[in-house]
Amino acid sequence: IKGIARGSFTGPKWELMNYFKDFCEDFNTATMPHEKYYNFPEWEMKEYEKKKAAAAAKGKGGSNLFSDEARHHEQMKSQAEQKRRDEMNVVLGGMNQAKREEMKRQKMMLAEMAMAFKTGDVDKQKRLQKRLEPEEKIAGGTAHPWAK
């Protein structure tokens, strides 16, 4: 109020208390230099609304930096989402229904094997592990890296 920015006072405590006493006196006698000091949050909200309206009016007439950035951000976001969908379609397009069903079955068997391990059913775990191991060898005569 006294030419000091809000929250920037770094002087001694007694000086701060004097400023506060002056503020209380001005507030109680309704002699503040501006209406904002009576209800600061309300005044801040009014100022914000004014700035927002001015930016909207300016945005209608021409483009401003914030609207350009927001538009660019939305554009990049939609392009990334479209790219993700296209990649998923390519992956799913390369699979037929039988392959998808086989992948689901393998996932269920893995969950069943994990449950058998947790419960201590070693026979069931080994049987499921053997069923999940690949049967074919990769070209070149080496076994699949997961196979033991």
Side-chain angles (χ1 to χ4, degrees):
I1 291 177
K2 302 276 183 179
I4 300 170
R6 182 177 176 192
S8 67
F9 182 75
T10 58
K13 188 173 181 176
W14 63 269
E15 193 175 348
L16 180 65
M17 293 308 291
N18 284 340
Y19 283 132
F20 184 70
K21 285 179 189 174
D22 290 344
F23 169 78
C24 289
E25 184 180 338
D26 289 345
F27 185 82
N28 291 334
T29 58
T31 57
M32 293 286 213
H34 193 272
E35 68 181 50
K36 73 178 176 183
Y37 299 113
Y38 293 104
N39 192 347
F40 194 73
E42 183 180 317
W43 179 82
E44 275 186 324
M45 187 55 74
K46 286 180 185 176
E47 286 295 309
Y48 171 72
E49 293 297 330
K50 285 180 189 176
K51 287 180 183 178
K52 194 166 129 183
K58 184 180 177 185
K60 288 179 185 174
S63 66
N64 62 17
L65 181 63
F66 295 115
S67 64
D68 288 346
E69 274 188 39
R71 190 177 329 108
H72 177 68
H73 181 68
E74 286 297 319
Q75 209 173 30
M76 296 304 289
K77 193 174 174 183
S78 65
Q79 285 177 355
E81 180 65 24
Q82 183 63 38
K83 183 179 178 184
R84 188 190 64 77
R85 272 191 249 120
D86 291 345
E87 288 174 355
M88 184 60 79
N89 288 338
V90 167
V91 168
L92 290 177
M95 290 189 227
N96 57 14
Q97 183 65 27
K99 189 170 184 178
R100 286 192 292 260
E101 291 298 323
E102 178 63 24
M103 288 174 69
K104 286 180 186 177
R105 189 182 66 76
Q106 284 183 359
K107 190 172 183 178
M108 290 296 289
M109 287 175 64
L110 278 172
E112 196 176 338
M113 187 174 75
M115 183 58 74
F117 177 77
K118 288 177 184 176
T119 58
D121 192 355
V122 178
D123 296 333
K124 186 175 183 180
Q125 180 203 359
K126 285 184 180 179
R127 181 174 42 85
L128 288 171
Q129 188 173 8
K130 189 151 188 108
R131 285 182 64 192
L132 285 171
E133 287 179 358
E135 299 165 359
E136 302 172 3
K137 293 197 180 253
I138 297 178
T142 59
H144 194 276
W146 293 345
K148 293 183 180 181

